[in-house]
Amino acid sequence: METIVSKKQLDKDALESKVKSMYRDVALNPHNEYHFEMGRPLAERLGYPSVILDKIPAESIESFAGVGYYFDLLDLKAGETVLDLGSGSGMDVFFAAQLTGDSGKVIGIDMTEEQLTKSINLANSHSYGKVYFQNAHIELLPIENESVDAVISNGVVNLSADKKSVFEEAARILKPGGRLALADIVTSVELPENISCDATLWAACIGGAAEFKEYINLIESAGLKVVQVKENPYRFISENAQGATDQFGIKSISICAVK
């Protein structure tokens, strides 16, 4: 008789709870110690120009927990519409708004209430008239088909248990010729089940990291063409995270794809 071995499954509800809990803390207590770097020193080391950072709310920068810089791949223009997947406290949204100008529009999507509250308050207090934030999941976007010029994201897609839907949604809302530009964590090899099914490690930006070729394939299977890839100078802080980085070739990359 054939023995059927059931594969361990990720608890998606536990994952969402842990992700919300971690990024609630990032919004409310940005100066606490985490396993990852945060704030302006990280942003500048990743490549964000100081001249633009100086123009956006400092409170959004202090809660910045991205993993790379990708705006150099995107070439945003004045008047374009941009959507940020997992906008957090809004740093990349405010950054994009500086590039798209008064005639542009930037939308941030996030599922963590405390992050949204912080980003909305900052947008209002700093008079960002064409910046909007919405509570939604990145796997199901409340956005019309072919209505967006660029989709951006920073260190968020790896947190999703349904990356296929994330990229399909990005492709759906992009106009023909629109661009997807993001930074994210990937691996050199497929992660073992004890890591890939651990919700805590997913929330830590490690357990959900896809193997690089699989990640590219998911983007292109959604109908987008990857045109640029670069590696980012990102590093984890904790010893456990550094050990996993060395063992499985975990790294940060930035990608630009075109519809």
Side-chain angles (χ1 to χ4, degrees), residues 7 27 33 38 58 91 95 173 203 217 250 258:
K7 293 189 71 174
E33 289 189 4
M38 284 178 55
M91 192 189 93
F95 194 98
I173 68 172
N217 182 60
I250 296 173
V258 179

Side-chain angles (χ1 to χ4, degrees), residues 22-234:
M22 178 169 291
Y23 291 96
R24 178 184 304 119
D25 288 344
V26 166
L28 299 177
N29 304 296
H31 300 293
N32 283 359
E33 289 189 4
Y34 299 94
H35 69 277
F36 44 76
E37 294 180 272
M38 284 178 55
R40 181 153 182 158
L42 168 64
E44 291 183 347
R45 188 167 60 77
L46 292 175
Y48 284 82
S50 296
V51 65
I52 298 181
L53 292 177
D54 288 342
K55 299 177 181 178
I56 68 180
E59 297 92 337
S60 69
I61 301 174
E62 70 179 7
S63 289
F64 172 70
V67 301
Y69 181 67
Y70 52 79
F71 282 100
D72 54 336
L73 309 180
L74 191 54
D75 189 27
L76 282 180
K77 298 176 177 62
E80 289 194 306
T81 297
V82 182
L83 183 132
D84 186 3
L85 302 173
S87 51
S89 293
M91 192 189 93
D92 278 2
V93 169
F94 297 128
F95 194 98
Q98 293 294 329
L99 302 178
T100 56
D102 293 338
S103 58
K105 177 181 179 182
V106 189
I107 305 164
I109 297 292
D110 208 276
M111 67 176 185
T112 303
E113 198 64 45
E114 290 78 6
Q115 294 275 28
L116 286 165
T117 297
K118 185 171 186 175
S119 58
I120 290 169
N121 288 341
L122 289 172
N124 291 335
S125 63
H126 289 77
S127 301
Y128 278 89
K130 295 294 184 69
V131 161
Y132 308 89
F133 294 95
Q134 291 183 248
N135 190 335
H137 289 71
I138 62 175
E139 299 86 356
L140 186 62
L141 298 171
I143 306 295
E144 294 181 2
N145 294 349
E146 299 186 353
S147 61
V148 171
D149 296 292
V151 173
I152 61 176
S153 186
N154 203 330
V156 173
V157 179
N158 78 87
L159 297 173
S160 173
D162 187 5
K163 296 174 179 59
K164 179 175 182 289
S165 291
V166 174
F167 293 129
E168 288 176 348
E169 281 289 88
R172 177 184 66 80
I173 68 172
L174 280 171
K175 300 174 182 178
R179 298 95 72 208
L180 167 70
L182 56 81
D184 210 358
I185 301 296
V186 297
T187 69
S188 297
V189 297
E190 185 178 353
L191 295 174
E193 278 188 12
N194 66 315
I195 292 179
S196 65
C197 293
D198 187 318
T200 299
L201 291 176
W202 274 71
C205 299
I206 294 173
E211 189 270 329
F212 171 70
K213 291 181 181 178
E214 176 192 357
Y215 196 97
I216 297 296
N217 182 60
L218 286 170
I219 294 174
E220 297 198 325
S221 295
L224 305 172
K225 181 181 179 181
V226 174
V227 293
Q228 289 178 283
V229 179
K230 69 170 185 176
E231 191 167 335
N232 297 309
Y234 181 77

